[in-house]
Amino acid sequence: MAASASASKAWRAPNTAEHRRLADSHGRDADWKNWGPYLSERSWGTVREDYSADGSAWKSFTHDMARSRAYRWGEDGIGGFCNRHQNVCLSVAFWNGADEILKERLFGLSGPEGNHGEDVKELYNYVDGVPSHAYMAMVYKSPMDAFPYADLVAENARRGYDDEEYELEDALGPAL
């Protein structure tokens, strides 16, 4: 009897704050998904931003060029979020007191620069978040010493395809 009685009960969605936000969004009572982590981590060197004559996006738009060129089709940033149309974008910028530039986007190697192709050379991960984006968390680890941009590019260019990639941890060792 107990099994048939429990089977006849209708299933109900949990009544948490997050479930209420999602129901409000679905019913168009609130626009919880208008803002979110829709901002790209990296837009430089992509085919969307390729204006080269030969179609080589990676060679025509490197990380070094990204800080002095405007994007036409998108934006990027570290831990960024924006509205769904990406016409209002917010992200963080870091400066460790040793670099010549503000850290506004993830550093990486383009396809021809890396010994295994395109590769971001940063330490970060997303820790938590909820579907409505009312809460999001990430960890970004940046060295307090000068970021080894030139060393990462040069050492990865020196290495062959059969060699291990040269990562940020290799360049900085215990300083990270």
Side-chain angles (χ1 to χ4, degrees), residues 28-148:
R28 302 283 189 214
D29 296 322
D31 200 359
W32 279 98
K33 294 182 183 176
N34 184 41
W35 289 87
Y38 314 130
L39 190 65
S40 173
E41 297 168 339
R42 183 191 65 78
S43 285
W44 54 267
T46 62
V47 292
R48 294 183 78 190
E49 299 294 338
D50 181 19
Y51 302 104
S52 64
D54 61 356
S56 60
W58 283 331
K59 291 180 183 176
S60 70
F61 199 166
T62 65
H63 175 270
D64 196 39
M65 296 174 184
R67 67 179 179 267
S68 56
R69 281 177 63 175
Y71 296 139
R72 183 173 180 179
W73 301 107
E75 275 299 333
D76 60 11
I78 299 171
F81 60 99
C82 64
N83 66 350
R84 70 169 50 110
H85 302 290
Q86 214 178 55
N87 50 16
V88 179
C89 304
L90 304 165
S91 67
V92 295
F94 303 98
W95 188 57
N96 60 14
D99 287 336
E100 296 178 11
I101 63 170
L102 283 176
K103 175 69 87 167
E104 299 176 288
R105 62 190 43 85
L106 297 178
F107 172 73
L109 303 175
S110 65
E113 290 176 315
N115 64 323
H116 293 158
E118 175 186 9
D119 188 23
V120 169
K121 301 292 184 185
E122 299 274 7
L123 291 176
Y124 69 101
N125 62 301
Y126 296 95
V127 180
D128 201 0
V130 295
S132 68
H133 314 305
Y135 172 77
M136 299 182 295
M138 79 173 288
V139 172
Y140 175 78
K141 295 183 179 182
S142 182
M144 292 295 101
D145 295 334
F147 195 92

Side-chain angles (χ1 to χ4, degrees), residues 107 147-156 166:
F107 172 73
F147 195 92
Y149 297 105
D151 183 36
L152 287 164
V153 172
E155 182 60 24
N156 277 285
Y166 186 65

